[in-house]
Amino acid sequence: MSTFTARHYAGEAFGTFVICLLGCSGVAVAILYGQVSDLVAMGAIWGGAVATAVWLTATFSGAHLNPAVTLAFAIGGKHPWIEVPKFWAAQIAGAFAGAGVVLLWFGGAINAWIAEQGITKAAAGGERAAMILAPYSPNPAIIGVGDAAYTAVPIWRGFLVELIGAAILIAFVLIVTHRRTTNSPPGWAFPLSIGALILMLTVGTGALTMTSLNPARDLGPRLMLLLDGYGATAFPGPRGGLSLLVTVGAPLVAGLLMGLLSKLWLNRTLDTSPDPSGAEVEAPSSRTEFA
């Protein structure tokens, strides 16, 4: 019988709400007012958003805050399968609500900027405005939109970027939160460490894929875009919907692969450690939550 309660789902929803509210607000300020100078600054915004969300919600839900992380935990035997769709729904709902608040804050300025730039929300090039809420590959503000941009970052390259980036993120979570990890930070410091990783991943991948890493961070705001009149720019998105394969599909595949790695090798490796005499002893079970 599941021991999960409403507090777990509320924690996941609140966490992704915070991530998308703070992170997408930073993108809005960058696009509309030019007040975020580069990918380092943008990485600090998203890293700070994730760190804040983990600090706020780890006590309530364990702070997965990402369907790919939840999937990896489930495959690795650290999270019940029956709870996976519930966690996913809560994560997407929270991200949807966070994007809604961003529109409440910046909606007027966004519409004015769209009119000034001659952008049509649901037409080709609409992702130049939609990127305020949802990630697109490639980054419309850096590499651009249209055939030349799509040639510069083909789907396979974007997929590989997101796959590797998300795999690093999930491996970090699986390893650093384990009790037997030598360099595991104290609980209060874990959000800082994952925030620093998000910053570095943003610098490395932000131009190519807008550093999605998280299907909820994509799908929740994308649903809000659909309600706000973005039509095909939201779903299925540009490139015949293949952009979603990059920003949603690749992180989920990373979660699948890292979950299998955890189940087949990582758990065994971390759950046994040598005692001073050199004998192998069973370690306490690894934490599935950050608190």
Side-chain angles (χ1 to χ4, degrees), residues 124-125 127-128 137-138 140 143-155 157 238-240:
E127 61 265 38
R128 291 174 56 208
S137 178
I143 295 180
V145 298
D147 291 342
Y150 302 156
T151 299
V153 186
I155 292 298
R157 180 172 290 136
R239 310 173 84 168

Side-chain angles (χ1 to χ4, degrees), residues 206-224:
L208 302 173
T209 67
M210 288 189 64
T211 318
S212 174
L213 307 177
N214 184 339
R217 176 264 182 277
D218 180 294
L219 292 175
R222 202 176 285 268
L223 288 169
M224 182 58 66

Side-chain angles (χ1 to χ4, degrees), residues 126-223:
E127 61 265 38
R128 291 174 56 208
M131 67 174 287
I132 291 174
L133 296 186
Y136 287 87
S137 178
N139 188 318
I142 297 176
I143 295 180
V145 298
D147 291 342
Y150 302 156
T151 299
V153 186
I155 292 298
W156 69 263
R157 180 172 290 136
F159 186 92
L160 191 61
V161 167
E162 280 292 315
L163 177 67
I164 294 172
I168 292 171
L169 173 65
I170 296 165
F172 184 89
V173 171
L174 292 174
I175 294 171
V176 174
T177 60
H178 197 283
R179 289 188 177 94
R180 289 299 187 184
T181 298
T182 303
N183 292 320
S184 181
W188 64 266
F190 175 79
L192 289 175
S193 62
I194 200 167
L197 176 59
I198 295 293
L199 189 160
M200 290 184 285
L201 288 171
T202 300
V203 173
T205 69
L208 302 173
T209 67
M210 288 189 64
T211 318
S212 174
L213 307 177
N214 184 339
R217 176 264 182 277
D218 180 294
L219 292 175
R222 202 176 285 268
L223 288 169

Side-chain angles (χ1 to χ4, degrees), residues 13-14 16-26 28-29 32-33 92-110 132-133 220-225 227-228:
F14 184 54
T16 53
F17 170 84
V18 169
I19 290 171
C20 286
L21 173 60
L22 299 181
C24 294
S25 292
V29 169
L32 301 174
Y33 307 117
I92 293 170
F96 174 82
V101 174
V102 173
L103 284 185
L104 285 176
W105 288 0
F106 296 100
I110 291 171
I132 291 174
L133 296 186
R222 202 176 285 268
L223 288 169
M224 182 58 66
L225 287 172
L227 292 181
D228 196 42

